[in-house]
Amino acid sequence: MKVEVITLFPAFVEQVITAGIPRKAVDTGALQFHARDLRDYSEGADRRVDDRPYGGGPGMVMEPGPLSDAITAAKAAIGSSAKVIAMSPQGVAMSQALMKQLSAEPGLILICGRYEGLDERVTPQIDLEVSLGDFVLSGGELAAMVLVDAVARLLPGVLGHEGSAEADSFSVGLLDHPHYTRPPVWRDAAVPEVLLSGDHAKIARWRLKQALGATFLKRPDLIEKLSLSGPHAELLREFLSERSGEKNQTSK
């Protein structure tokens, strides 16, 4: 995948590929990343890319000319089919489903807005607006970096294990199950016996039950979207029954 980020702060955005999974994605060739300085497309000697809004009001608005030229240049660099995404609080919220969808694209061009936003006349060049959440940041850089990280780990060959991405929280609409490692007993707390059994079918069932339970307790809104029935509903009832039994034991 080829990713271009259009920003006023390229050195800041480039930090996302200096460590962790995004760096591995670049090192393995799964990701090509470039931060494009929007000021390079200013027509003035002062490299200005913003101006006062027509109609008055506070703040500044990013000019359409430099931004349009930067998008055109980015498409010339990585391909005309690249999807142009504006990082904006008005956009669709980031989700694992969206990240998976974007990871299948051949190229992404991410626009990091600043000030009061973009001149509306640039919107015909934008395919999608994406939001990090219902709050306001100083600019789109952090949101773009989050998107790059989330997408990079879904690219083929980037993670160390083929099933790692599929097992993550939200990948199947559920939170992840609990994880344990050595030692088998730590501060009087033992690893669940089933995980030491070597019975892969029982382990898979336990993990699904724990994932259903964790989602029910922490994110009931996700459970409602799944409309559980059959074996999944039975597993959740089993989880809640066991949890109730544990609480009763503790209270005695």
Side-chain angles (χ1 to χ4, degrees):
M1 170 179 281
K2 299 177 181 179
V3 174
E4 286 262 347
V5 180
I6 298 173
T7 173
L8 293 174
F9 305 100
F12 174 38
V13 174
E14 286 167 352
Q15 295 303 306
V16 72
I17 59 167
T18 62
I21 296 300
R23 178 176 178 174
K24 182 179 179 182
V26 171
D27 289 345
T28 60
L31 174 67
Q32 294 181 26
F33 180 91
H34 178 245
R36 190 173 293 271
D37 192 340
L38 180 59
R39 295 191 188 279
D40 290 343
Y41 301 89
S42 172
E43 296 180 354
D46 58 358
R47 306 185 76 210
R48 184 169 177 168
V49 295
D50 63 298
D51 210 332
R52 297 180 184 278
Y54 280 122
M60 306 290 277
V61 176
M62 298 182 76
E63 297 174 354
L67 190 52
S68 177
D69 290 346
I71 294 171
T72 300
K75 283 202 168 191
I78 66 174
S80 59
S81 63
K83 186 177 289 293
V84 181
I85 300 174
M87 312 312 300
S88 166
Q90 301 178 40
V92 297
M94 287 190 194
S95 66
Q96 189 67 10
L98 178 59
M99 297 304 104
K100 189 172 184 179
Q101 177 185 332
L102 294 179
S103 71
E105 295 287 338
L108 301 175
I109 298 171
L110 310 181
I111 300 172
C112 301
R114 282 269 161 175
Y115 317 121
E116 293 300 307
L118 317 179
D119 188 296
E120 190 67 19
R121 290 168 291 184
V122 181
T123 54
Q125 291 180 263
I126 296 172
D127 299 308
L128 180 67
E129 290 182 84
V130 174
S131 170
L132 188 56
D134 294 336
F135 52 89
V136 179
L137 297 169
S138 300
E141 283 76 16
L142 285 172
M145 293 163 76
V146 169
L147 190 151
V148 169
D149 184 283
V151 167
R153 63 193 321 280
L154 296 176
L155 300 178
V158 173
L159 295 183
H161 191 284
E162 289 183 359
S164 293
E166 287 78 4
D168 285 338
S169 293
F170 307 113
S171 292
V172 292
L174 297 172
L175 301 184
D176 201 0
H177 58 77
H179 295 271
Y180 298 87
T181 188
R182 293 178 177 82
V185 178
W186 180 74
R187 295 183 180 176
D188 297 327
V191 173
E193 189 174 334
V194 65
L195 298 179
L196 307 176
S197 69
D199 189 324
H200 296 295
K202 287 184 178 179
I203 291 172
R205 185 179 187 278
W206 180 87
R207 285 175 169 170
L208 177 56
K209 180 169 62 175
Q210 299 303 313
L212 286 162
T215 306
F216 178 85
L217 296 174
K218 299 177 182 179
R219 290 291 304 275
D221 57 306
L222 295 178
I223 290 290
E224 291 176 7
K225 291 178 182 178
L226 292 174
S227 300
L228 298 180
S229 61
H232 287 74
E234 179 59 34
L235 276 177
L236 179 56
R237 285 193 290 269
E238 186 178 314
F239 173 90
L240 295 174
S241 176
E242 292 172 354
R243 183 178 174 85
S244 176
E246 290 172 0
K247 286 185 175 180
N248 289 338
Q249 287 289 338
T250 303
S251 62
K252 290 180 180 180

